[in-house]
Short mmCIF file of all heavy atoms in Angstrom, two decimals:
data_model
loop_
_atom_site.label_atom_id
_atom_site.label_comp_id
_atom_site.label_asym_id
_atom_site.label_seq_id
_atom_site.Cartn_x
_atom_site.Cartn_y
_atom_site.Cartn_z
N ARG A 2 23.26 10.00 -7.99
CA ARG A 2 22.13 10.22 -8.91
C ARG A 2 21.10 9.12 -8.71
O ARG A 2 21.42 7.94 -8.64
CB ARG A 2 22.59 10.25 -10.35
CG ARG A 2 23.67 11.28 -10.64
CD ARG A 2 23.56 11.83 -12.04
NE ARG A 2 22.49 12.82 -12.13
CZ ARG A 2 22.03 13.32 -13.28
NH1 ARG A 2 22.51 12.86 -14.42
NH2 ARG A 2 21.08 14.23 -13.28
N TYR A 3 19.84 9.56 -8.65
CA TYR A 3 18.72 8.67 -8.40
C TYR A 3 17.80 8.68 -9.63
O TYR A 3 17.46 9.74 -10.14
CB TYR A 3 17.91 9.14 -7.19
CG TYR A 3 18.75 9.44 -5.98
CD1 TYR A 3 19.19 10.75 -5.72
CD2 TYR A 3 19.12 8.45 -5.08
CE1 TYR A 3 19.97 11.05 -4.62
CE2 TYR A 3 19.88 8.73 -3.96
CZ TYR A 3 20.31 10.03 -3.73
OH TYR A 3 21.07 10.31 -2.64
N LEU A 4 17.39 7.49 -10.06
CA LEU A 4 16.47 7.40 -11.19
C LEU A 4 15.20 6.67 -10.78
O LEU A 4 15.26 5.60 -10.17
CB LEU A 4 17.11 6.68 -12.38
CG LEU A 4 16.29 6.65 -13.67
CD1 LEU A 4 17.18 6.79 -14.92
CD2 LEU A 4 15.45 5.36 -13.77
N VAL A 5 14.06 7.26 -11.14
CA VAL A 5 12.75 6.66 -10.90
C VAL A 5 12.19 6.19 -12.24
O VAL A 5 12.05 7.00 -13.18
CB VAL A 5 11.78 7.68 -10.29
CG1 VAL A 5 10.39 7.06 -10.09
CG2 VAL A 5 12.32 8.21 -8.97
N THR A 6 11.88 4.92 -12.35
CA THR A 6 11.23 4.44 -13.58
C THR A 6 9.75 4.77 -13.51
O THR A 6 9.18 5.01 -12.44
CB THR A 6 11.43 2.93 -13.77
OG1 THR A 6 10.66 2.23 -12.80
CG2 THR A 6 12.89 2.54 -13.66
N GLY A 7 9.09 4.78 -14.68
CA GLY A 7 7.65 5.06 -14.71
C GLY A 7 7.31 6.41 -14.11
O GLY A 7 6.29 6.58 -13.45
N ALA A 8 8.17 7.40 -14.36
CA ALA A 8 8.05 8.69 -13.66
C ALA A 8 6.84 9.51 -14.07
O ALA A 8 6.48 10.47 -13.38
CB ALA A 8 9.32 9.51 -13.89
N SER A 9 6.20 9.14 -15.17
CA SER A 9 5.00 9.87 -15.57
C SER A 9 3.72 9.17 -15.10
O SER A 9 2.62 9.66 -15.33
CB SER A 9 4.95 10.04 -17.10
OG SER A 9 4.92 8.77 -17.74
N GLY A 10 3.87 8.04 -14.41
CA GLY A 10 2.72 7.30 -13.91
C GLY A 10 2.30 7.78 -12.53
O GLY A 10 2.88 8.72 -11.97
N GLY A 11 1.28 7.12 -11.98
CA GLY A 11 0.77 7.54 -10.68
C GLY A 11 1.79 7.34 -9.57
O GLY A 11 2.22 8.31 -8.93
N PHE A 12 2.22 6.12 -9.34
CA PHE A 12 3.19 5.84 -8.28
C PHE A 12 4.51 6.54 -8.57
O PHE A 12 5.09 7.19 -7.70
CB PHE A 12 3.39 4.33 -8.15
CG PHE A 12 4.22 3.93 -6.96
CD1 PHE A 12 3.61 3.43 -5.82
CD2 PHE A 12 5.60 4.03 -6.98
CE1 PHE A 12 4.37 3.05 -4.71
CE2 PHE A 12 6.36 3.67 -5.88
CZ PHE A 12 5.74 3.18 -4.74
N GLY A 13 5.00 6.39 -9.80
CA GLY A 13 6.28 6.99 -10.15
C GLY A 13 6.27 8.49 -10.03
O GLY A 13 7.26 9.11 -9.61
N GLY A 14 5.15 9.11 -10.38
CA GLY A 14 5.05 10.57 -10.25
C GLY A 14 5.13 11.01 -8.81
O GLY A 14 5.82 11.99 -8.49
N TYR A 15 4.44 10.29 -7.93
CA TYR A 15 4.52 10.61 -6.51
C TYR A 15 5.94 10.42 -5.99
O TYR A 15 6.46 11.25 -5.23
CB TYR A 15 3.58 9.72 -5.71
CG TYR A 15 2.11 10.05 -5.83
CD1 TYR A 15 1.18 9.07 -6.14
CD2 TYR A 15 1.64 11.35 -5.61
CE1 TYR A 15 -0.18 9.35 -6.24
CE2 TYR A 15 0.29 11.65 -5.70
CZ TYR A 15 -0.62 10.64 -6.02
OH TYR A 15 -1.96 10.92 -6.11
#
Side-chain angles (χ1 to χ4, degrees):
R2 304 212 78 191
Y3 311 94
L4 186 143
V5 178
T6 70
S9 61
F12 188 101
Y15 286 129

